[in-house]
C-alpha cells in the first residue's frame, strides 16, 4: 500500500464535504429531505456507474494509470475514484439545480416586496 497515492480521492472527499457544508447551510438537498435525496443520489450514481460499465465493455472508456490515484479497481478499467467522482458529480449537479431555484425564488420574492413598498397607487 506504500506505493498507492490517495491525492485524487482525498480531493474528491474534501470537495464533497465542502458541498455538504453548503447543503447544510442552505438546506438544499440532503439536509432538506434526507431519504429521498440519498435515494436519488445513490440511484443517479448507480446509473452512471452502469453507463461507465457499458462504455468500458464497448471500449469507449479506458483506464489510464495516474500517479495521483490509488490503483484500486472496482472492476476491469473502473477505478475506485470513479465511484467517488460520480457521487460528487451527482451531488454537485443537484446542489446547483436546487440552489439556482432557491436563489431565483428569493430574488423574485425580494422584487415583489420592493414593488409593494416603492410603488404608490396613482388614481
Amino acid at each position: 500500500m506504500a506505493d498507492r497515492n490517495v491525492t485524487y480521492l482525498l480531493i474528491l472527499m474534501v470537495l464533497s464535504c465542502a458541498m455538504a457544508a453548503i447543503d447544510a447551510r442552505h438546506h438544499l438537498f440532503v439536509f432538506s429531505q434526507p431519504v429521498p435525496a440519498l435515494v436519488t443520489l445513490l440511484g443517479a450514481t448507480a446509473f452512471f456507474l452502469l453507463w461507465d460499465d457499458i462504455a468500458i465493455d464497448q471500449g469507449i472508456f479506458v483506464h489510464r494509470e495516474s500517479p495521483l490515484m490509488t490503483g484500486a479497481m472496482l472492476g476491469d478499467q473502473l477505478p475506485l475514484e470513479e465511484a467517488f467522482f460520480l457521487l460528487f458529480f451527482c451531488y454537485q449537479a443537484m446542489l446547483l439545480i436546487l440552489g439556482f431555484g432557491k436563489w431565483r425564488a428569493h430574488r423574485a420574492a425580494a422584487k415583489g416586496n420592493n414593488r409593494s413598498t416603492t410603488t404608490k397607487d396613482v388614481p
Side-chain angles (χ1 to χ4, degrees):
M1 183 94 177
D3 63 336
R4 295 184 187 239
N5 192 331
V6 295
T7 303
Y8 181 48
L9 188 58
L10 284 176
I11 289 169
L12 288 171
M13 289 179 166
V14 167
L15 291 174
S16 294
C17 288
M19 288 192 310
I22 292 168
D23 188 8
R25 167 72 172 85
H26 298 284
H27 298 278
L28 295 171
F29 189 47
V30 174
F31 289 87
S32 174
Q33 296 182 353
V35 174
L38 291 173
V39 168
T40 301
L41 197 55
L42 294 175
T45 302
F47 170 80
F48 283 114
L49 281 170
L50 178 62
W51 180 320
D52 280 2
D53 191 47
I54 292 168
I56 289 166
D57 285 345
Q58 293 180 353
I60 297 169
F61 291 169
V62 179
H63 172 67
R64 304 271 190 249
E65 291 297 321
S66 169
L68 301 177
M69 296 173 68
T70 62
M73 303 296 279
L74 297 176
D76 185 37
Q77 303 292 315
L78 185 63
L80 171 67
E81 290 85 356
E82 182 70 6
F84 282 87
F85 170 75
L86 292 173
L87 185 67
F88 164 80
F89 174 74
C90 293
Y91 195 22
Q92 179 185 37
M94 290 308 302
L95 291 183
L96 286 171
I97 291 166
L98 295 172
F100 182 70
K102 190 171 185 178
W103 173 77
R104 283 190 58 164
H106 176 72
R107 188 171 168 189
K111 244 183 186 177
N113 288 340
N114 286 342
R115 283 192 184 142
S116 64
T117 58
T118 59
T119 306
K120 294 182 181 180
D121 291 330
V122 178

